[in-house]
Amino acid sequence: MTESVWIDGAEVALPSSGTASLWDVLDETSTAPPFGCGTGHCGACTVLVDGIPAPSCVVPKAAVRGSVVSTVQSGPLQDLVDALAREGAVQCGFCSPGIVVTLSWALREAAAQRRCLQPAEVREHLVGHLCRCTGYQAIVAATVAVSAALLATTGPPA
């Protein structure tokens, strides 16, 4: 069994003992997102594990053996980051890494299906991401705008 994980393109050895979480492994490699609740409820530490969003604080290190992990350092769509800044959607920034990783994933999925994310769908993707600084509206607006722009470049389904 592989005793390593790929984090942002670099192979990282996993601890051979203990009960470390993926977040602990990310912290040891200086790639950890913010640590929020520690129970997987706030979304601040969300990363992609084999292309799927997951709160790194509750993923056991053993579950990521041989996996590919993308953090906010390698996973975000720059267009989304720029749109969030334009819309004033980022304030303190604590929750932003998890939100950006999750919504970048959702935008890529929608673009691959050649469809535009709708506001209700964006809000659904934000379930499990707690932000105390915004009302989420600017986040939703920025994401929908990026989705529409991506669809304009790829075109509707054939």
Side-chain angles (χ1 to χ4, degrees), residues 113-115 151 154-158:
Q113 298 166 9
R114 294 182 147 182
R115 63 182 187 82
L151 183 59
T154 61

Side-chain angles (χ1 to χ4, degrees), residues 12-129:
V12 174
L14 290 169
S16 58
S17 63
T19 59
S21 68
L22 173 56
W23 188 90
D24 295 319
V25 174
L26 295 170
D27 190 41
E28 287 293 317
T29 63
S30 300
T31 58
F35 187 84
C37 64
T39 60
H41 293 99
C42 74
C45 69
T46 300
V47 297
L48 298 180
V49 177
D50 293 329
I52 305 296
S56 63
C57 67
V58 295
V59 175
K61 68 163 171 83
V64 296
R65 288 185 182 119
S67 292
V68 175
V69 174
S70 299
T71 71
V72 73
Q73 294 181 28
S74 68
L77 285 172
Q78 189 60 46
D79 290 348
L80 176 61
V81 173
D82 295 344
L84 290 170
R86 273 192 312 277
E87 290 285 335
V90 176
Q91 291 181 25
C92 84
F94 190 81
C95 65
S96 299
I99 288 173
V100 167
V101 166
T102 298
L103 293 179
S104 292
W105 167 81
L107 285 162
R108 286 185 180 105
E109 291 288 310
Q113 298 166 9
R114 294 182 147 182
R115 63 182 187 82
C116 188
L117 289 175
Q118 299 302 307
E121 187 179 7
V122 175
R123 286 186 191 91
E124 192 173 307
H125 288 302
L126 290 171
V127 169
H129 289 276

